[in-house]
Amino acid sequence: MASVDLQRLPRHVAIIMDGNGRWAQSQGHLRTLGHREGSHAVRRIVRAARRLGVQALTLFAFSEQNWERPAPEVMALMELLREYLVTEREELLENGIRLRAVGRIDRLPATVRDVLDPLMAETADLRGMTLTLALSYGGREEIVDAARRLAERARAGELDPREVDEALFEANVPSVDVGRVDLLVRTGGEQRISNFLLWGAAYAELHFTERLWPDFDEADLYEAVAAYQRRDRRFGRVTSADHEPHPRAAE
């Protein structure tokens, strides 16, 4: 397992959990079994992140575009989500984990909302770690929704459009309530961010791994954090070394 510096942990880690379907197909199973195995990986990584000391973990659980998948698969995913929320309730409470959800969650079926909403309320004051599930989520959609909220306030006379700046806009982007993303991990071998946390991940360090999500474990999380710690995060600035004159400059 990779060694990490506990004094330089990423505060907010976000993960695109990719590869459930391919994992199942490689095993000769239906895609739904891959999603079930993926839920076991969620449990492992939430526990590992909590033990490591990560303050905020955001998981891309279901995108706005995922509604276009075959209806039986969507139904299976919703049932798995409900099952996860029911079975993990005690662990979240015992470990002080606050649960949040971002996205257009009004689209979720009542069977999920009936479990999700009370659990978010029940864990709202916990401070051990914040687990955010991105559900019916899209980064572009989140930005559009934020712009719409500000436009409605301006139309109502509650806001002068000239007052809109980056800070005010960001205050209307729910996924950033726990802070901007420091480390964004994608499993499954693809190297794109797929409309995930577009605002909050503007300066995130990206880590891509070939590991399919059902196989992703604590060692993989540690490797991602170790890779993050090897980066020089500049945020558009330069380091002191970059200010040093070139050897020939003094000649």
Side-chain angles (χ1 to χ4, degrees):
M1 186 178 297
S3 176
V4 301
D5 181 351
L6 297 180
Q7 303 304 313
R8 296 192 301 114
L9 292 174
R11 183 188 180 283
H12 183 183
V13 176
I15 305 179
I16 300 173
M17 306 178 294
D18 193 17
N20 290 339
R22 282 175 287 152
W23 182 91
Q25 291 168 344
S26 71
Q27 306 284 326
H29 300 300
L30 296 175
R31 289 173 57 85
T32 51
L33 180 62
H35 295 311
R36 180 166 294 280
E37 290 299 317
S39 70
H40 299 327
V42 169
R43 184 176 298 113
R44 286 198 305 270
I45 297 309
V46 170
R47 289 175 177 173
R50 175 71 176 85
R51 288 194 298 267
L52 183 59
V54 171
Q55 295 183 38
L57 175 67
T58 299
L59 303 178
F60 203 178
F62 191 84
S63 77
E64 183 75 355
Q65 289 68 42
N66 285 159
W67 292 111
E68 299 175 10
R69 291 188 177 186
E73 183 174 354
V74 171
M75 290 175 61
L77 286 167
M78 291 298 109
E79 180 55 35
L80 275 174
L81 173 58
R82 184 182 188 282
E83 181 181 314
Y84 173 82
L85 295 170
V86 170
T87 59
E88 297 304 301
R89 174 181 174 276
E90 290 301 324
E91 181 151 342
L92 294 178
L93 293 171
E94 290 175 4
N95 288 281
I97 298 175
R98 177 170 67 121
L99 178 69
R100 298 173 65 247
V102 295
R104 293 175 173 173
I105 60 175
D106 56 308
R107 294 193 66 183
L108 298 175
T111 54
V112 172
R113 293 294 300 275
D114 288 347
V115 178
L116 174 64
D117 293 349
L119 188 52
M120 288 195 294
E122 194 172 9
T123 62
D125 295 328
L126 301 182
R127 292 295 179 265
M129 183 180 80
T130 298
L131 170 63
T132 302
L133 300 180
L135 300 167
S136 190
Y137 177 86
R140 288 180 174 179
E141 288 83 351
E142 183 179 44
I143 290 171
V144 167
D145 291 345
R148 183 179 295 114
R149 283 191 291 271
L150 291 173
E152 289 172 350
R153 288 180 57 193
R155 183 175 62 179
E158 301 172 358
L159 175 68
D160 184 337
R162 291 171 295 185
E163 297 175 359
V164 178
D165 57 12
E166 183 177 322
L168 179 58
F169 193 91
E170 185 167 295
N172 285 269
V173 180
S175 63
V176 192
D177 285 352
V178 293
R180 298 174 185 176
V181 181
D182 297 304
L183 171 63
L184 192 154
V185 178
R186 180 174 187 142
T187 66
E190 303 291 351
Q191 297 189 15
R192 56 179 178 271
I193 60 174
S194 295
N195 198 26
F196 186 43
L197 303 179
L198 297 183
W199 183 276
Y203 279 99
E205 298 298 327
L206 307 181
H207 179 80
F208 301 106
T209 173
E210 294 290 328
R211 187 86 68 182
L212 300 177
W213 176 247
D215 293 327
F216 195 82
D217 60 17
E218 185 174 10
D220 296 308
L221 177 64
Y222 272 64
E223 176 53 42
V225 171
Y228 163 86
Q229 293 180 341
R230 292 192 292 268
R231 309 281 178 84
D232 179 12
R233 305 192 75 202
R234 302 185 183 188
F235 301 98
R237 301 184 294 270
V238 295
T239 64
S240 57
D242 292 318
H243 287 292
E244 296 177 2
H246 189 277
R248 295 185 60 85
E251 295 179 1

